[in-house]
């Protein structure tokens, strides 16, 4: 009961935060718009096209990230429930905080604010993937609240001129750095604390059914990735952007197959295919609206190889060294390919301020690692999950 | 053979109905439009944006409702097949009947007529969920034909001024009342007859695989729910509407987790998560284009709690009392939250005619219950399913 | 190692082909567009609406075709991996070749080129479905490269006036002939060689889990089929087109149920439902923007019956006769209904040049069968899969 009462406190405070803030800040800008708008005008048509992309992103968040994490055999119910809760915490928190002038100027356009909130939720899901199976549901939600604030801080510093550290012009349209690398490195900080020695020794089981669900998640991410990268891109740049993203994904998928067969000595791993195929989407993020098509394809190829090396070679060594487990391998899918994509912008984007780009990357790395480490300490104060990688300690109707 | 011959008669009559009616009524209005339309004009762009939403709704109907119902372990093939058949009966029937001046004026715009037909199919799927596992495939189809006509009648009375009973201005944009509550209460009427005492005693089995499929259905419904509510909303009201729907869903999801852990005494139920998380979408339907964001979030919170109480407390008692089984718990997901949403409009929508709103709700309750009860009697004339909650009596290739 | 080195050669050559061609041809037309475009203009809005449909098609390619093929119990990982690889080979190859004046004039519009590339990938996936479970991953990729070139050749001859054989005006908007029938008949050519006598005797196992995944794939195809047929249709014809496709699918779904119960003597087959329900979409392709609604519904009804007869009666006899296995039954779903749809245009499309239409169909049949047969011979030079219909010879982490 201690458990649920502390949880209830958290819950009420989140709810009040959101309602009060939304009440004060979010409505005025919003309710004004229908008064001035003319039906059928072009602006609202463009907004509705953004809205279509926001729905695509939501499919990535829930079915995409959610089912990609169902690869843990006995933890499927928990993985999708955690996904639901993480998204349902991050979006209202981001949306209402962004209605104030806290991290940069308040935004009044609902659709833009909603899409930015979805980006935050994506980054959070990446982060949570690192600790998947070792957090209680309440810990996922606490992580959600803390993460969203730090994410907004970093987003503001790197892309909004916060504290004057990074100048405008930081190239990261599709979020290779501020979404993917940030989430993965934050997760690395968290798992430093959130892996006990027992948990470190515990094997993670999969089976044919969980593997197929995981591939479903992977494919949903692949399908809608162009909408993710192009969500806020101007209409006339959209065709080039989405073709670039598709070409990068194609490149990564083919490269992953060959890298996996070579690195695993003759047999491929379905985990490589499900994950590293997406590394093209991660890496093209920073340059998706600037790269030429061949450059996009090449970035995808490289990202697929880098990610597969991560899964098959680096992960094992790094985990042994750091004594922590990255359950979903988010460093391999979002970490290295994300950083690679951010650096690629230096070579691909014409007229870019190179030192500024590198400074933004460095800031993101530092903020993510430090904040993640502190957050891990905070989470550990909420105790440890009774049965790791299993539904049965939290779900009434689950097999033991 | 008696079976398939009576079925064939039904089939031919549906086909003839549709073809003849479509032939006479649906084409003229339709074929005129290309003649007068100018390529690239704004009207057709707006229509295409509606079309995008119609596809989203179709994803909800098939994968959403279909897979949400796959939670019954040995009845998965039947659940998705029934979904296919129910949709494939309801849409052509609604579409062709709506081409005549039977229930209100005939509609000529194809996309609007198609979206309204999808709404009818959604309501039908809700209704069928109550009796899931106890109907033969032919009975689902007979239910589909009868239900669609009664649905159109109620829709016309409540939202189209039919018989002069309810004045225009009934607030129900996203269908809390005419789609959700109507379907659930119609289902309650049906199961009064369509639960034998043997069926009442029969347990309904689930397992890890069917639970994950069910969560997939749930997530698909969650993702596309904004498109459902906003399907026919004017472009300039769309941003506010969809953010309201997302906030209501977020509120319901978080509330469901806490309500489940409290009401189930420490362990949550995956059935609560899969279902009650969606109650926010059900309840926001009536007010989605009018509510402020904080009101939407609050409606979602409340709906999540109400729905979870329904699943964990009310359902057991009600079923014992009425001696009938609501297989999917549609009363808890669509019934109570739907009614709650319709009543919420009285407090949320400015300038609403309160008694008119309540009258529309009352009419819907009465029509649904009475027609559902009669329909249950009709269905029982087609016999009883040999093996309840199992594929093997109707599918050649299913495990016993 | 011989295996992976030969594979690497293939890989590098594909990559070089794509990068070089894209570099030379694809960029100029593309990079010019942002310079001349005005934000918010109608043309780019129409382009973005095409882009939405291209995402829908991608969902069909990956989750739709991919999971429809997961019905083979022990081959699920391979089926979805093969889908990833086939799509990732076909799209870049088509896209870069189409940037040259090889098969007809080069296209400069990125979105149109991308959608045409997706059509090629769809046809390829159909073809691969015939040989599913008997090809190694490398063979799928080799098939992908060869198929895409032949597909482009046939597309050019039949719809682009290539060699002056077929005049313009060939009715095939949604690809009943050039996409569906072509893919299926090419597959028939391939399996003539790619079925050994051992493979012919090997049974193909399914279970409840693989059947549900397969139905998921089927439903995703059903949902997005209107976007497939209407992808390149002019805005003002879109409403009629998509309603026609939905009506055809509804007709096929209902017809499949009744045909299955009659032809299978009382019990339906889930394979019939998952596949033949889609035959309406296949058959309406040629006439989707011309047919009246009742004609569309009738074409769907007929296609469902034809396809179910294919699965329950024709397939067994044909396979015994030809001593080859069509794993997914693509002839029944895409072959006969595709040809039926192409021929239906002769009766449905006003002012059509009938002999021209039949000539286009004949050319497609001949090109597909001959090229498929030759391609099968080429594929057999790459050896035989060690364990047919099983993941375990190619995947490290699969059950034996």
């Amino acid at each position: 009961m201690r458990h649920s009462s502390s949880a209830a406190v958290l819950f009420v405070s989140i709810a009040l935060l959101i309602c009060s803030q939304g009440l004060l800040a979010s409505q005025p800008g919003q309710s004004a718009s229908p008064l001035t708008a003319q039906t059928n005008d072009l602006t609202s048509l463009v907004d509705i096209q953004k809205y279509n992309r926001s729905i695509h992103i939501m499919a990535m968040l829930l079915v995409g990230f959610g089912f990609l994490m169902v690869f843990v055999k006995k933890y499927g119910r928990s993985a999708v429930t955690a996904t639901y809760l993480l998204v349902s915490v991050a979006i209202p928190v981001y949306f209402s905080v962004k209605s104030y002038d806290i991290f940069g100027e308040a935004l009044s356009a609902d659709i833009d604010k909603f899409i930015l909130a979805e980006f935050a939720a994506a980054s959070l899901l990446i982060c949570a993937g690192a600790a998947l199976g070792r957090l209680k549901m309440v810990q996922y939600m606490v992580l959600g609240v803390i993460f969203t604030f730090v994410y907004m801080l970093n987003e503001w510093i790197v892309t909004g001129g916060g504290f004057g550290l990074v100048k405008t012009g930081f190239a990261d349209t599709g979020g290779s750095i501020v979404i993917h690398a940030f989430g993965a490195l934050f997760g690395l900080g968290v798992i430093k604390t959130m892996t006990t020695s027992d948990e470190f020794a515990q094997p993670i089981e999969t089976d044919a059914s969980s593997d197929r669900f995981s591939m479903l998640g992977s494919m949903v991410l692949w399908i809608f990735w162009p909408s993710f990268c192009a969500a806020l891109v101007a209409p006339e740049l959209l065709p080039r952007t989405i073709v670039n993203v598709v070409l990068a994904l194609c490149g990564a998928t083919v490269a992953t197959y060959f890298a996996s067969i070579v690195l695993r000595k003759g047999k491929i791993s379905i985990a490589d295919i499900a994950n590293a195929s997406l590394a093209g989407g991660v890496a093209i993020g920073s340059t998706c609206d600037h790269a030429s098509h061949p450059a996009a394809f090449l970035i995808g190829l490289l990202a697929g190889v880098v990610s597969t090396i991560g899964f098959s070679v680096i992960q094992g060594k790094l985990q042994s060294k750091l004594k922590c487990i990255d359950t979903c391998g988010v460093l391999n899918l979002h970490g290295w390919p994300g950083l690679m994509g951010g650096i690629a912008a230096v070579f691909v984007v014409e007229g870019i301020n190179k030192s500024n780009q590198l400074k933004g990357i460095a800031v993101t790395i530092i903020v993510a690692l430090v904040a993640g480490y502190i957050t891990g300490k905070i989470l550990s104060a909420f105790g440890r999950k009774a049965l790791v990688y299993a539904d049965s300690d939290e779900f009434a109707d689950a097999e033991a």
Side-chain angles (χ1 to χ4, degrees), chain A:
Chain A
M1 276 324 282
R2 194 194 59 75
H3 190 224
S4 60
S5 64
S6 71
V9 172
L10 169 74
F11 172 51
V12 170
S13 51
I14 295 174
L16 287 182
L17 168 83
I18 292 157
C19 296
S20 63
Q21 292 205 323
L23 195 61
L24 296 171
S26 161
Q27 284 315 110
Q30 171 61 10
S31 63
S33 100
L35 296 175
T36 56
Q38 297 196 309
T39 311
N40 288 353
D41 69 12
L42 280 172
T43 311
S44 69
L45 287 176
V46 171
D47 260 13
I48 297 174
Q49 298 191 320
K50 279 188 202 160
Y51 151 71
N52 270 310
R53 300 199 283 278
S54 78
I55 295 288
H56 293 176
I57 297 170
M58 194 55 89
M60 296 173 74
L61 298 182
L62 295 181
V63 177
F65 285 108
F67 276 86
L68 187 59
M69 300 196 295
V70 171
F71 76 100
V72 186
K73 183 181 167 185
K74 292 182 177 170
Y75 193 70
R77 294 177 185 85
S78 303
V80 285
T81 301
T83 302
Y84 252 166
L85 293 173
L86 289 163
V87 168
S88 296
V89 165
I91 287 181
V93 168
Y94 187 103
F95 193 88
S96 44
V97 173
K98 198 71 186 173
S99 307
Y100 278 114
D101 299 326
I102 301 177
F103 302 111
E105 265 182 70
L107 259 183
S108 65
D110 265 17
I111 291 288
D112 291 47
K113 209 156 48 175
F114 175 46
I115 287 173
L116 291 172
E118 288 183 305
F119 285 168
S123 190
L124 169 61
L125 287 166
I126 292 163
C127 169
L132 190 80
R134 298 188 302 279
L135 299 188
K136 295 184 283 190
M137 289 300 151
V138 170
Q139 288 173 313
Y140 285 117
M141 281 187 276
V142 174
L143 171 64
V145 175
I146 302 174
F147 180 93
T148 305
F149 278 94
V150 182
Y151 172 90
M152 294 181 83
L153 173 68
N154 185 66
E155 182 191 42
W156 175 50
I157 297 174
V158 176
T159 69
F163 303 132
L165 271 175
V166 182
K167 286 178 200 137
T168 54
F170 182 77
D172 202 31
T173 310
S176 299
I177 297 300
V178 297
I179 300 170
H180 293 283
F182 181 81
L185 294 168
F186 197 106
L188 180 61
V190 167
I191 60 175
K192 190 73 197 81
T193 306
M194 293 311 292
T195 315
T196 66
S197 53
D198 279 4
E199 288 164 4
F200 186 75
Q202 180 88 16
I204 300 174
E205 290 175 272
T206 66
D207 68 1
S209 221
S210 55
D211 278 349
R212 288 177 293 183
F213 278 114
S214 187
M215 278 297 287
L216 172 65
S218 172
M219 284 182 160
V220 168
L221 289 168
W222 207 108
I223 291 163
F224 295 112
W225 211 293
S227 291
F228 187 95
C229 282
L232 297 172
V233 159
E236 71 275 12
L237 287 175
L238 231 129
R240 179 214 285 248
T241 304
I242 70 122
V243 170
N244 275 344
V245 175
V246 171
L247 289 175
L249 287 164
C250 289
T253 303
V254 174
T256 296
Y257 170 76
F258 288 104
S260 186
I261 212 167
V262 169
L263 292 165
R264 308 260 182 196
K265 301 187 172 64
K267 286 195 178 187
I268 51 178
S269 156
I270 189 71
D272 291 352
I273 302 291
N275 287 282
S277 298
L278 302 168
V282 172
I284 196 65
S286 294
T287 55
C288 57
D289 50 346
H290 292 98
S292 67
H293 291 338
F297 189 73
L298 269 177
I299 288 174
L301 281 178
L302 272 173
V305 172
V306 164
S307 182
T308 310
I309 293 173
F311 278 100
S312 60
V313 181
I314 299 172
Q315 180 161 5
K317 292 182 183 166
L318 195 71
Q319 291 189 156
S320 301
K321 192 145 199 164
L322 298 177
K323 297 279 174 249
C324 61
I325 298 290
D326 174 1
T327 313
C328 295
V330 299
L331 273 177
N332 312 310
L333 171 50
H334 304 275
W336 319 135
L339 294 174
M340 196 201 102
I343 293 166
V346 172
F347 304 98
V348 166
V349 181
E350 278 179 59
I352 196 173
N353 179 333
K354 291 178 189 182
S355 68
N356 194 53
Q357 181 78 8
L358 296 175
K359 205 196 285 172
I361 295 172
V363 168
T364 299
I365 293 173
I366 293 165
V367 172
L369 285 175
V370 172
Y373 185 76
I374 296 169
T375 305
K377 293 286 177 199
I378 296 173
L379 290 179
S380 70
F382 285 73
R384 299 281 172 182
K385 182 165 157 59
L387 266 170
V388 290
Y389 312 125
D391 293 329
S392 56
D393 60 336
E394 295 196 275
F395 282 81
D397 31 13
E399 301 83 0

